[in-house]
Amino acid sequence: ELSLLDAAGIAAEHDAEAGLDAAARVFASRLAVSAFACFGRGCGRDGQEVQRAKAAFSDSGPIADVLLRCVVSALLLEGNREFRATELESKARAVFRTMGSDGLVGVSVLRFLSRNIGVPRDMPAVAAAALRSHLNLFIAALENKGPARGLARPSIGNALKRKRPATGLASPSVDNVG
């Protein structure tokens, strides 16, 4: 499973067009997507789990809706890869701090949705990959995976700067973002 820092980096790799496409498709069908995520049948849920999910829908429905809105918002984030990775991590940590233990209800909902996005039924492969990576980002945040930035690992911006070949062009610093 991914750490939060790794999940933020992967989510930031997707281009803005894929994120916009995924966000538009989720938002256009948000009630159906939320209901499916909460009590749909698919990969990772047997019949008994579906029945338990339906019984718990009154509790998980509003949480799923809030989390899906956060995912859609994150999909719409613009900027260079380093900036987006830092901002995505920050947004995901903020959701964890805000939701606390209530967010744990949403982990199974987001994980189920991530495993059951249909290509090409629901969206093109590129948009589905962007959506999956953003869902995984919020799963990692809600499960509180990984240290807070700067405590045990270097910032992702610094790690990415070291890997990038020298071009002679100045890049904006992400160390002071957030």
Side-chain angles (χ1 to χ4, degrees):
E1 298 196 14
L2 292 175
S3 72
L4 181 56
L5 292 173
D6 294 335
I10 291 169
E13 290 177 359
H14 296 282
D15 66 13
E17 188 176 320
L20 180 62
D21 187 16
R25 290 172 190 267
V26 170
F27 187 76
S29 303
R30 66 191 173 280
L31 296 177
V33 171
S34 182
F36 174 70
C38 288
F39 58 82
R41 182 179 302 244
C43 177
R45 257 190 212 155
D46 62 20
Q48 290 177 346
E49 287 177 307
V50 170
Q51 293 306 316
R52 284 193 301 271
K54 284 182 180 179
F57 180 69
S58 61
D59 294 333
S60 62
I63 292 170
D65 184 57
V66 167
L67 289 173
L68 285 174
R69 289 171 189 256
C70 292
V71 170
V72 167
S73 172
L75 283 162
L76 297 174
L77 188 63
E78 294 181 353
N80 66 34
R81 183 177 184 271
E82 293 86 359
F83 172 77
R84 288 182 33 232
T86 302
E87 284 298 301
L88 288 168
E89 179 197 357
S90 176
K91 285 179 182 287
R93 286 195 190 281
V95 167
F96 171 76
R97 284 190 304 274
T98 302
M99 297 193 91
S101 62
D102 289 340
L104 294 177
V105 173
V107 169
S108 65
V109 170
L110 296 180
R111 185 171 284 122
F112 176 80
L113 187 58
S114 175
R115 292 176 179 166
N116 289 282
I117 298 167
V119 174
R121 179 194 69 206
D122 299 323
M123 61 186 67
V126 176
L131 178 56
R132 277 189 196 100
S133 68
H134 284 74
L135 290 167
N136 289 333
L137 167 69
F138 283 91
I139 291 167
L142 292 170
E143 291 178 334
N144 197 20
K145 291 186 177 173
R149 179 173 299 288
L151 293 179
R153 291 181 65 177
S155 75
I156 194 164
N158 289 336
L160 293 173
K161 286 177 190 174
R162 285 191 296 270
K163 293 178 185 175
R164 189 177 16 207
T167 60
L169 300 175
S171 63
S173 172
V174 295
D175 295 332
N176 296 326
V177 176

